[in-house]
Amino acid sequence: MIRTGVRLELYRAFHNLAYYIALGLGCAIAVLHFVMQVLPKTKAIGVFMNIDYPYSVFNSCLALDLGGFHQSLFFYSVVLLGTLPFGMSYFTDLRDGYIKNIYTRMDRKGYLLGKYLAVFLTAGTVCIIPLILNMALTMAVLPCLIPQVGTSVFAVAGAGMFSQLFYSHPFLYVLVYLIIDFCMVGMFACLALSLTKVLYNRYIVLFAPFVLFFTLQTVMMYTGFNAAGPYYILNPTQPTWENVPTVLTEMILLFLVGFFTFYLMGGKKRDAI
Amino acid sequence: MRYRKWVILIVCLLLFGVWAYFVYDVNERFSNPENRIVEQGQTASYKGLTIAPGEVEILSYQEMVERYPDFDSTYDEMGEEAEETIHEMAHYHYILVHLSIENPTDEKISFGKESITLWPIEVGVQGNGMDPFMLMYFNPGYDGSFTAHEKMDMILPYTIYTEYLTLEEIKKEDIRVVYSYYRTKNYIFYEGGERE
Amino acid sequence: MKIEIHDYTKVIRGVTILDNVNLTLESGKCYGLKGKNGSGKTMLMRAVCGLIQPTKGTVTIDGEVLGKDISFPRSVGVLIENPAFIANYTGYKNLELLASIQHRIGKEKIRETILEVGLDPDDKRKYRKYSLGMKQKLGIASAFMEDPDIIILDEPINAIDESGVAKVKDMIQRAKERGAILITACHDAEELELLSDEIIHISEGRVVNRVETNDETVNR
């Protein structure tokens, strides 16, 4: 039954116009960044002093473009984009009555687990696919030159998280951050499922994870716990130096709060009215 | 359409092939720099000059003040900002790289836009540029050029913020003073390990 | 097949919606629920489907207690309140998705059921473009398509044309003949009498009395 629930919800999630719209918007930002920020760099690629370093994929792609407008736009909006495909689905299933069709055919556990997984995966893919697309486009026009510490043109400071990895195996660094971003955006989007129990408007449910994300970021900034700001955690350029314990703690808390409020408190015991 | 999946697959493979060619081409034209190192006791030639690295001093602020008591006087020209800068200096460790640069040619050589002041230091994954005020303090005769057949002994001063690395960590890390990044990465190399 | 509702009470936010309901429902019969708006008819239907948890009491289906031995009846088709489907899928696609959960029927059976209710299985229109009557017909099709042992129909003939009503009656009759238990509610008293073998009067969450449609009163 769990497999059935997962299969059904994954099918609904990925065969859904909202998913393609969200993905399209993310990819549009990625392509815009490539056209407006990366392509102009190709004109200057061979023009440098010896002490300079040519533009590299690892300081030009969307994920690692320090302080770029498109990068900020992407990482601030990605939680909203991630929630768009399927974040409201539990709310609509309940309010519209579709859940009656499900709960009279399969065990709730399968449906709820499938729902969480579907929202998590759609949100995560909406986050990382544009980043991968942008990186692939950038790799086609700029070289994959290994980052150099002393050039000051690479975003990751020596004091940052996984800086050793960045300066020795930058592709692995990007991979680690893709995993972090996938999980963070997925878990933020899943907060919409938990909030379905307390909110009565589908658009408020849609925007709630983004509002929470923004609020948490602002609060962390103003209380001095910058490293716990979710925008800073998502951003591979590490505007504030991250550390593994903070990132892990935040991810674990997000998962525990999101999953258990949805599954145990909200979903499994809830009357399907 | 029966063949739709095959058409999509072929198109994807073609696109992948085109992409892979572009990636190969750009990385072939701009490959990773070759490393050329020069260590203490060796010499290297760069833009007509001969570079011979000497010792490296790794000092705390206190040690710096003891050894070079008036080094902070170089900031007097900053006027009002001098006091704040001098106050900040206690938050750094100091790395002084001794080297000699000789011009064996018959003509005066200048680095031009690529001044020595642009040579950064790399300590592990920490990096920093050179302090231009301290450069003048330690090398008062340096005017940016090297007279024909003359040898100049220089001290290149660098700082590392104490929060980034402790003195012991700096002493254990590899140190690189880079004077060229591309197409070859030319640098003075001091191997990490137990240093006094 | 037997449904036993024993001392079933449901209280929501201090309001008693169902109050000590005791009923036994047997296979091969259609039970009509009659009562004013808010009397508890729909809530009783939800209780039988396992969609709500009782405050007190049990629903037992063939010896298995809902909420304890089983989460929902093993074989049930429901149409409660408005039909609800996925707006961007066609009618056929919606039913195919639901049928894929339990894998009891194949594509042919889905097509057959859609035709039976008077819809076109090859209609490319998305569900959101359906008229009210078409949506209702699709809801009926989803309730009947897997030949369930229990069928719950809340206002089944709402918005349906005359030919559709005749088809629904025919489907109810065939379901009874194969031994299913049907529970229905209808605002039209006359239609309810025609559809049902027994009328159960509900008022303020309580079963007031039961009347067979040959006019014999059954004691509670």
Side-chain angles (χ1 to χ4, degrees), chain B residues 129-184:
Chain B
M130 199 184 299
D131 186 317
F133 290 96
M134 279 207 286
L135 178 71
M136 290 299 111
Y137 169 78
F138 286 108
N139 309 279
Y142 175 64
D143 65 358
S145 61
F146 298 89
T147 313
H149 299 292
E150 263 206 31
K151 186 177 178 181
M152 189 183 287
D153 290 326
M154 299 188 71
I155 299 176
L156 307 184
Y158 298 95
T159 57
I160 297 286
Y161 192 44
T162 52
E163 294 285 317
Y164 296 166
L165 289 171
T166 64
L167 206 61
E168 286 63 43
E169 284 169 343
I170 295 174
K171 288 177 181 176
K172 285 183 184 158
E173 288 280 10
D174 293 342
I175 294 174
R176 292 174 292 273
V177 176
V178 183
Y179 49 94
S180 160
Y181 271 109
Y182 208 76
R183 287 204 180 244
T184 51

Side-chain angles (χ1 to χ4, degrees), chain C:
Chain C
M1 165 75 44
K2 196 195 273 190
I3 300 173
E4 289 167 298
I5 305 170
H6 183 65
D7 288 341
Y8 196 100
T9 301
K10 178 68 179 175
V11 179
I12 298 174
R13 293 197 190 119
V15 178
T16 304
I17 313 292
L18 292 171
D19 189 2
N20 266 311
V21 174
N22 284 280
L23 281 173
T24 302
L25 308 174
E26 284 164 358
S27 60
K29 288 175 95 169
C30 179
Y31 297 88
L33 301 180
K34 190 174 180 181
K36 289 191 296 193
N37 290 346
S39 58
K41 304 187 297 296
T42 305
M43 204 56 78
L44 183 59
M45 290 176 171
R46 289 198 184 104
V48 171
C49 297
L51 293 173
I52 57 172
Q53 317 297 326
T55 309
K56 205 182 74 165
T58 57
V59 175
T60 307
I61 300 171
D62 282 347
E64 290 178 310
V65 178
L66 269 186
K68 197 173 152 202
D69 304 316
I70 47 173
S71 306
F72 56 94
R74 291 187 185 278
S75 175
V76 65
V78 307
L79 173 59
I80 296 180
E81 292 180 318
N82 298 325
F85 295 97
I86 298 170
N88 287 325
Y89 292 171
T90 61
Y92 176 84
K93 184 81 188 165
N94 267 293
L95 296 194
E96 193 184 39
L97 201 63
L98 291 173
S100 72
I101 296 173
Q102 293 185 328
H103 296 289
R104 284 188 179 158
I105 57 171
K107 292 181 182 185
E108 273 314 307
K109 177 68 177 167
I110 298 172
R111 294 179 67 87
E112 201 183 289
T113 312
I114 292 176
L115 283 166
E116 217 178 321
V117 297
L119 293 174
D120 178 8
D122 297 316
D123 189 346
K124 297 284 177 236
R125 277 178 292 181
K126 305 281 190 254
Y127 177 75
R128 66 170 185 272
K129 302 267 189 197
Y130 277 22
S131 68
L132 213 58
M134 290 171 74
K135 288 179 179 176
Q136 189 73 4
K137 285 179 181 177
L138 193 69
I140 290 167
S142 84
F144 278 89
M145 69 177 175
E146 287 160 309
D147 290 332
D149 296 329
I150 301 170
I151 301 173
I152 316 271
L153 301 170
D154 189 6
E155 305 284 354
I157 58 174
N158 252 3
I160 290 183
D161 50 41
E162 252 183 64
S163 65
V165 170
K167 287 181 174 129
V168 168
K169 286 178 182 170
D170 189 42
M171 290 168 86
I172 289 173
Q173 184 59 35
R174 279 189 278 116
K176 275 178 4 183
E177 282 165 10
R178 63 174 170 80
I181 299 176
L182 292 108
I183 304 173
T184 186
C186 188
H187 62 274
D188 186 330
E190 210 178 296
E191 283 294 348
L192 189 66
E193 282 214 18
L194 288 170
L195 290 172
S196 316
D197 298 305
E198 190 177 317
I199 307 283
I200 300 170
H201 291 258
I202 297 181
S203 176
E204 292 177 358
R206 290 195 198 98
V207 173
V208 173
N209 70 350
R210 297 169 68 168
V211 179
E212 290 199 3
T213 50
N214 57 6
D215 286 336
E216 268 184 50
T217 303
V218 177
N219 290 329
R220 210 157 46 106

Side-chain angles (χ1 to χ4, degrees), chain A residues 160-162 180 238 241-251:
Chain A
M161 186 173 68
F162 303 132
I180 291 173
Q238 296 187 53
W241 305 319
E242 291 302 330
N243 58 81
V244 173
T246 303
V247 172
L248 270 180
T249 303
E250 187 144 330
M251 286 170 72

Side-chain angles (χ1 to χ4, degrees), chain A residues 23-103:
Chain A
L23 195 58
L25 287 170
C27 291
I29 298 174
V31 170
L32 263 175
H33 173 269
F34 172 73
V35 168
M36 293 174 70
Q37 300 292 333
V38 176
L39 281 182
K41 290 182 179 177
T42 59
K43 291 181 186 133
I45 193 174
V47 179
F48 46 84
M49 296 192 294
N50 293 120
I51 199 62
D52 289 336
Y53 202 59
Y55 290 118
S56 164
V57 166
F58 303 111
N59 61 359
S60 304
C61 68
L62 181 65
L64 292 165
D65 182 9
L66 178 63
F69 162 74
H70 300 90
Q71 204 227 28
S72 300
L73 174 66
F74 181 81
F75 283 110
Y76 266 115
S77 64
V78 73
V79 168
L80 184 58
L81 289 178
T83 313
L84 185 64
F86 213 51
M88 288 189 293
S89 63
Y90 182 53
F91 182 93
T92 53
D93 283 355
L94 274 174
R95 298 285 188 266
D96 296 349
Y98 187 75
I99 209 154
K100 295 190 288 283
N101 293 327
I102 304 288
Y103 280 177

Side-chain angles (χ1 to χ4, degrees), chain A residues 125-171:
Chain A
T125 52
V126 161
C127 174
I128 69 166
I129 288 175
L131 291 174
I132 294 171
L133 170 68
N134 179 276
M135 189 153 195
L137 290 172
T138 307
M139 282 170 68
V141 298
L142 291 180
C144 302
L145 296 177
I146 197 156
Q148 301 287 351
V149 174
T151 56
S152 305
V153 296
F154 291 92
V156 181
M161 186 173 68
F162 303 132
S163 56
Q164 291 269 9
L165 192 64
F166 179 72
Y167 286 102
S168 58
H169 299 90
F171 277 116

